[in-house]
């Protein structure tokens, strides 16, 4: 037996999705399936990798400290280059770490509440939440999803902006570290 | 047939042709691959870090080998270290670029977050609610294509990085083994210089029992009853 839908309801384009009114079907398909969820973890993972890289660079510098001291004790042009490289590395890596942490935990922008967001759901009592969602019209449901998408997009932009800054600092920090390591290695070998 | 049925029929015919495309567009299994590539890149960088850390443990022995009188050994170690460093830099650079590569630019698509974030909530709402099914599929396909391009570029770089790591690992193994054995063979090894003198167990026990300040030499021989 074929179940008939009310005339304003659409047969869903993707059959496993609940039906929406025809006028909202296309928007709802995109809004509910906009690929946003994977971006915040991606930014966090990259920031974590940057923190690891900076940690490794510090560890390696510490491991060769006795040769670093030997180069510093020379008091010639190598000492000056090493000093500049170490100072640059210290400052830039600190900025990288700060920006990486701000990527992982950004200051969230003020956003309208949305029943698609876990914190707003958790703020309600269970019965209130169920009652609100059950009483929702399709337009309101779509609106909740659009608000969520919009807020999450803003957060993603913020996160990737911070990450870009962290990378911006990390590259010259790596250069400084490389200079310091080359000088140390030369001291080690010769 | 009523007007509503006609409208429904018309809509069905419009979307029927898009059913397969829509399903494929929204469910193309592509979205996990960038994070997979990122994980591989991170693993390569971590492996690089670990290999260097192990060298750090052996750096005294490596320095000793480089100050060896045998020029052949010095040349061999220098060649191995230089090759390792080159591979490390190339592989590490490829992995780093793969990890930090941004999604390639794409035409305007409401499926991509910077595009959504650029609009106000009202603009976003008004833009998305006037879209047709065909436009929706088009927008998600734009996104999919950019993501696929990103994945292809990331994995191409990772292949190079992986090739470097393989060769690098072989060199690392050789260098580590040489450094490890060099420490045992060479009598001037820092390990041997710094190793504590061997103490006769009996003598140590007697020493601790009698006095900590004045070590006593205990004559070896059969114990006698006093």
């Amino acid at each position: 037996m074929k179940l008939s839908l009310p005339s304003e309801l659409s047969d869903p384009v993707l059959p496993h999705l609940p039906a929406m009114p025809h006028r909202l079907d296309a928007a709802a398909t995109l809004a509910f399936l906009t690929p946003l969820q994977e971006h915040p973890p991606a930014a966090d993972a990259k920031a974590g990798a940057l923190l690891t890289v900076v940690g490794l660079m510090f560890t390696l510098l510490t491991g060769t400290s006795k040769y670093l001291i030997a180069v510093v004790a020379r008091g010639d042009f190598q000492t000056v280059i090493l000093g500049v490289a170490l100072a640059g590395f210290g400052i830039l890596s600190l900025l990288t770490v700060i920006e990486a942490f701000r990527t992982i935990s950004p200051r969230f922008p003020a956003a309208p509440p949305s029943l698609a967001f876990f914190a707003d759901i958790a703020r309600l009592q269970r019965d209130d939440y169920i009652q609100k969602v059950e009483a929702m019209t399709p337009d309101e449901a779509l609106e909740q999803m659009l608000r969520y998408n919009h807020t999450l997009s803003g957060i993603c932009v913020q996160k990737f902006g911070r990450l870009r800054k962290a990378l911006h600092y990390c590259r010259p920090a790596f250069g400084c570290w490389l200079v310091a390591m080359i000088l140390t290695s030369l001291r080690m070998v010769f | 047939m009523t007007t509503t049925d006609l409208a429904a029929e018309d809509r069905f015919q419009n979307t029927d042709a898009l059913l397969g495309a829509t399903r494929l567009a929204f469910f193309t299994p592509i979205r996990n691959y960038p994070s997979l590539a990122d994980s591989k890149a991170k693993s390569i960088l971590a492996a690089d870090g670990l290999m260097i850390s192990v060298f750090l443990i052996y750096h005294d022995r490596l320095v000793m080998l480089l100050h060896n009188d045998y020029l052949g050994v010095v040349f061999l170690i220098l060649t191995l270290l230089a090759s390792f460093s080159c591979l490390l830099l190339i592989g590490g650079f490829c992995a780093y670029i793969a990890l930090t590569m941004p999604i390639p630019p794409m035409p305007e698509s409401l499926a991509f977050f910077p595009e959504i974030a650029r609009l106000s909530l009202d603009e976003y709402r008004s833009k998305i609610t006037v879209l047709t099914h065909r436009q929706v599929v088009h927008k998600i396909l734009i996104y999919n294509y950019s993501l696929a391009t990103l994945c292809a570029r990331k994995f191409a770089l990772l292949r190079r990085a992986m090739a470097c790591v393989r060769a690098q690992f072989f060199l690392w193994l050789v260098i580590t083994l040489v450094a490890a054995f060099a420490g045992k063979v060479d009598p001037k090894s820092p390990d041997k210089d710094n190793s504590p003198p061997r103490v006769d167990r009996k003598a140590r026990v007697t020493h601790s029992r009698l006095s900590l300040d004045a070590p006593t030499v205990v004559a070896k021989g059969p114990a006698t009853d006093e």
Side-chain angles (χ1 to χ4, degrees):
Chain A
M1 193 178 105
K2 193 181 173 187
L3 290 172
S4 60
L5 293 164
S7 57
E8 77 274 17
L9 281 185
S10 139
D11 286 334
V13 171
L14 299 174
H16 74 282
L17 294 178
M20 286 292 271
H22 178 213
R23 66 193 162 78
L24 294 177
D25 193 40
T29 305
L30 182 57
F32 281 87
L33 294 175
T34 302
L36 289 174
Q37 296 296 335
E38 58 265 35
H39 295 296
D44 289 354
K46 287 175 210 289
L50 276 187
L51 288 174
T52 310
V53 167
V54 171
L56 273 173
M57 290 197 285
F58 264 110
T59 310
L60 287 172
L61 266 186
T62 318
T64 55
S65 56
K66 75 175 180 190
Y67 297 100
L68 275 177
I69 293 166
V71 177
V72 170
R74 283 168 67 111
D76 57 2
F77 75 100
Q78 283 191 17
T79 309
V80 178
I81 296 173
L82 183 69
V84 172
L86 284 180
F89 174 68
I91 294 165
L92 290 165
S93 58
L94 185 69
L95 290 170
T96 307
V97 169
I98 290 170
E99 292 299 343
F101 274 119
R102 288 176 85 176
T103 305
I104 292 168
S105 56
R107 290 185 188 130
F108 291 114
S114 162
L115 283 179
F117 181 50
F118 70 91
D120 292 328
I121 297 171
R123 226 169 268 139
L124 300 171
Q125 294 294 321
R126 186 189 301 272
D127 291 339
D128 288 344
Y129 167 62
I130 293 170
Q131 197 184 349
K132 276 195 173 189
V133 175
E134 284 181 349
M136 221 172 246
T137 64
D139 293 75
E140 285 168 344
L142 179 62
E143 172 67 18
Q144 299 292 318
M145 200 60 211
L146 292 180
R147 281 183 195 177
Y148 174 80
N149 284 353
H150 191 258
T151 307
L152 192 59
S153 297
I155 291 170
C156 287
V157 166
Q158 211 178 340
K159 272 178 173 282
F160 279 97
R162 291 282 170 206
L163 184 68
R164 216 170 295 125
K165 277 191 181 174
L167 287 171
H168 180 73
Y169 293 130
C170 188
R171 281 180 201 130
F174 178 75
C176 291
W177 175 82
L178 202 62
V179 169
M181 285 306 284
I182 287 170
L183 285 176
T184 315
S185 306
L186 288 176
R187 177 69 194 161
M188 234 188 254
V189 176
F190 303 110
Chain B
M1 204 177 261
T2 63
T3 319
T4 316
D5 289 340
L6 278 171
E9 183 70 19
D10 180 47
R11 190 190 61 76
F12 178 75
Q13 280 172 356
N14 284 336
T15 55
D16 191 31
L18 283 173
L19 282 177
T22 311
R23 183 166 280 275
L24 181 60
F26 277 99
F27 293 98
T28 302
I30 203 175
R31 289 172 200 157
N32 293 330
Y33 286 102
S35 52
L36 182 70
D38 287 353
S39 307
K40 285 176 197 288
K42 277 191 285 179
S43 305
I44 289 171
L45 289 173
D48 284 350
L50 279 173
M51 284 193 260
I52 300 175
S53 302
V54 172
F55 274 167
L56 212 62
I57 295 169
Y58 286 118
H59 79 274
D60 279 339
R61 291 181 188 189
L62 286 172
V63 170
M64 184 197 74
L65 280 172
L66 288 172
H67 290 147
N68 202 303
D69 291 336
Y70 298 103
L71 279 179
V73 175
V74 174
F75 181 73
L76 178 72
I77 295 292
L78 267 180
T79 310
L80 286 172
L81 281 174
S83 315
F84 178 84
S85 307
C86 285
L87 287 168
L88 180 89
L89 281 177
I90 296 168
F93 180 73
C94 287
Y96 174 79
I97 294 292
L99 181 67
T100 57
M101 186 179 276
I103 195 161
M106 64 176 88
E108 189 189 328
S109 167
L110 282 180
F112 190 40
F113 69 86
E115 205 60 51
I116 300 171
R118 203 170 47 79
L119 305 169
S120 70
L121 183 56
D122 290 335
E123 285 171 330
Y124 173 48
R125 189 187 303 114
S126 61
K127 276 199 169 189
I128 203 168
T129 46
V130 296
L131 292 177
T132 64
H133 281 291
R134 189 168 291 281
Q135 286 169 327
V136 163
V137 172
H138 184 71
K139 293 207 180 292
I140 206 78
L141 287 176
I142 286 173
Y143 176 78
N144 281 356
Y145 180 77
S146 288
L147 211 61
T149 315
L150 174 72
C151 291
R153 288 181 191 167
K154 271 179 182 266
F155 279 101
L157 280 169
L158 281 178
R159 263 193 299 276
R160 276 182 225 162
M162 199 56 93
C164 287
V165 165
R166 278 197 203 108
Q168 208 178 300
F169 179 73
F170 174 72
L171 291 175
W172 174 81
L173 207 62
V174 172
I175 298 168
T176 309
L177 284 174
V178 168
F181 281 110
K184 294 204 169 185
V185 171
D186 197 290
K188 287 181 181 176
S189 158
D191 280 1
K192 287 207 168 180
D193 287 341
N194 298 332
S195 61
R198 289 187 180 176
V199 181
D200 183 51
R201 187 178 286 171
K202 278 184 184 172
R204 195 168 58 213
V205 170
T206 318
H207 172 125
S208 64
R209 277 182 191 161
L210 295 174
S211 159
L212 287 172
D213 297 322
T216 312
V217 178
V218 178
K220 285 183 182 175
T224 51
D225 292 329
E226 291 179 2

